[in-house]
Amino acid sequence: FGTASAGTGTPAAGKLNVTTDGGVGDAGGIFVQSGEALTVGTLNTADATSQNITIAGTAITLAGDGGAYALDSDVVTINPTGAFTLSQALNLGSLSVSGGTTITISNAITTANSTTGASGGISLSGSGAVALNAALATGTSNIAESGGADTATTGSISVTSTGGAITGNASGTLTTGAATVDGTTNNDSATSGTVTLNASGAIELVAADALKVGNATVTNGNAGDTATTGNITVSSADKLSSNGASGQVDVSFGTASAGTGTPAAGKLN
C-alpha cells in the first residue's frame, strides 16, 4: 500500500479486503504476507464450512466494518512482527496470534459452538504488553449419543507476554465454553477448556468474572463416564491482582457433573 499524506488534512490508509468462495481448508483459504503495516478490512469465506486463513506482516490491524469478518468456523492464524490490534469483533473457528510485540484487543473474540467435536481455542502471544479490553470466549461443545464412546471438549484460552504485562479492563473477560455429552452408552467424557496466563511483568485484571471456566456435564452419566472442568493457571507473573495493589482477581469454575461417573473439578494454579 502507498502512503496517504494530507499535510494538515486527513489521511486514510488503504485496507486489504478479501472474499473467497472455495472449498474447505486451504482450498478456499486466504494466505497473505506484507512487508509493511497492514490494515485488514473484509475477510469473508464460504459459509458453513471451515477455511484456513494465515496473515503475516509487520504491524497488523483487523479493523473491519460491521459484518466484514464472515469467518464462522474458520481457522485463523496471525503472525505479526510488530503490534497486533483488533478493533472489530471476531466470530470464528479458532484464533492464534503469535510472534509480535504488543497486542491490543478492543473488540470481542468468540469461537464457534460445535455439535460434532471440540470447539476452537484462542491463543495470544507477544513480546510486549497485552491489553485485553473486550471479552474472549470459546464456544460450547454439545455431543449427542452415538452409540460409541463420545467426547465433548471446549477450546482453551492462552495469553502470553514474554516481555511485558497483561492488563484487562472491565470488559476484559476470559471464558471457556461448556462441554456437554450424552453418556447413555459406553464410556463418555466432557471436558471444558482451560485458561492460562503467562507474563514477564504483572497481570492486572479488573473485570467481574475475569477468568471463568465452563461447566462439564455428562447427561445420563454412568460408571466409566468422566466430567472434567478446566484449570485456571498463571504460569509466570511478577504479580496477579485486579488493580496493581491488593485487589483480587475474580475467578470462577464451572461444575463437573457425571451422574454416577467420575467428576473432576478444575483447579487454580
Side-chain angles (χ1 to χ4, degrees):
F1 291 87
T3 301
S5 303
T8 58
T10 304
K15 295 180 181 179
L16 174 69
N17 301 297
V18 182
T19 298
T20 64
D21 58 7
V24 300
D26 289 353
I30 298 171
F31 305 94
V32 174
Q33 179 171 329
S34 175
E36 59 191 20
L38 179 65
T39 299
V40 180
T42 299
L43 291 175
N44 189 354
T45 61
D47 293 339
T49 56
S50 177
Q51 282 74 36
N52 298 325
I53 297 173
T54 300
I55 300 174
T58 56
I60 298 176
T61 299
L62 299 189
D65 183 13
Y69 298 135
L71 303 175
D72 40 55
S73 58
D74 293 350
V75 177
V76 179
T77 302
I78 309 292
N79 296 317
T81 57
F84 173 75
T85 303
L86 176 66
S87 57
Q88 174 65 42
L90 282 181
N91 293 278
L92 71 181
S94 65
L95 175 67
S96 173
V97 177
S98 65
T101 55
T102 60
I103 296 175
T104 303
I105 306 299
S106 299
N107 291 76
I109 304 171
T110 306
T111 69
N113 298 332
S114 177
T115 58
T116 58
S119 65
I122 299 169
S123 177
L124 307 175
S125 179
S127 62
V130 178
L132 304 173
N133 299 326
L136 278 61
T138 62
T140 63
S141 176
N142 195 331
I143 307 300
E145 175 60 53
S146 71
D150 299 307
T151 300
T153 304
T154 60
S156 295
I157 299 173
S158 174
V159 180
T160 299
S161 171
T162 60
I166 298 173
T167 59
N169 68 7
S171 299
T173 58
L174 286 69
T175 305
T176 63
T180 305
V181 66
D182 188 333
T184 300
T185 63
N186 291 292
N187 296 334
D188 305 298
S189 65
T191 304
S192 60
T194 62
V195 176
T196 303
L197 302 174
N198 181 356
S200 67
I203 298 174
E204 184 178 325
L205 304 173
V206 174
D209 288 332
L211 306 175
K212 186 175 182 179
V213 169
N215 295 331
T217 305
V218 181
T219 60
N220 305 308
N222 300 294
D225 294 336
T226 59
T228 305
T229 52
N231 294 333
I232 295 174
T233 300
V234 178
S235 58
S236 177
D238 285 350
K239 183 175 185 175
L240 175 65
S241 72
S242 65
N243 60 2
S246 58
Q248 298 170 326
V249 174
D250 192 1
V251 301
S252 177
F253 290 87
T255 301
S257 304
T260 57
T262 304
K267 297 178 180 179
L268 176 66
N269 300 302

